Amino acid sequence: MTVFAVEYVYDADSSEVRNASRPAHRAWTAELAREGALLASGPYGDGAGALLIFKAADEAALNELLRQDPFAAAGAISGTRTTAWAPVTGLLADHAA
């Protein structure tokens, strides 16, 4: 399994869409966390985006998960950046491949 850092970028005018779909998005992230696929997630303090840390077999599996995000279905995400990440120190270090 690989750890991936995923950054979401939100348009400034997407707050209404995000607010409407946030309960479904949070239910989705909570379920992925229970399953062990999502290690951590949360919005940036300035509201311009979010950081999500996933564990997935590969980038194709990760992309399949991301397509299921209610924020994606609602058009709340204007951009993403996905990077394989190897945490070596701290709470997430045991998850690195």
Side-chain angles (χ1 to χ4, degrees), residues 7-93:
E7 290 185 87
Y8 282 177
V9 177
Y10 304 139
D11 282 331
D13 61 352
S14 71
S15 63
E16 192 172 307
V17 171
R18 283 184 282 126
N19 289 340
S21 55
R22 183 169 287 114
H25 167 76
R26 294 253 170 104
W28 176 76
T29 58
E31 180 59 27
L32 291 177
R34 276 190 292 279
E35 295 171 0
L38 180 65
L39 302 177
S41 70
Y44 293 136
D46 63 3
L51 177 65
L52 302 94
I53 307 295
F54 286 94
K55 240 170 97 166
D58 53 35
E59 197 162 354
L62 173 67
N63 289 334
E64 178 58 34
L65 279 178
L66 294 176
R67 281 191 285 279
Q68 298 170 26
D69 186 344
F71 271 7
I77 304 164
S78 63
T80 60
R81 179 175 181 233
T82 301
T83 307
W85 182 50
V88 295
T89 303
L91 298 175
L92 300 178

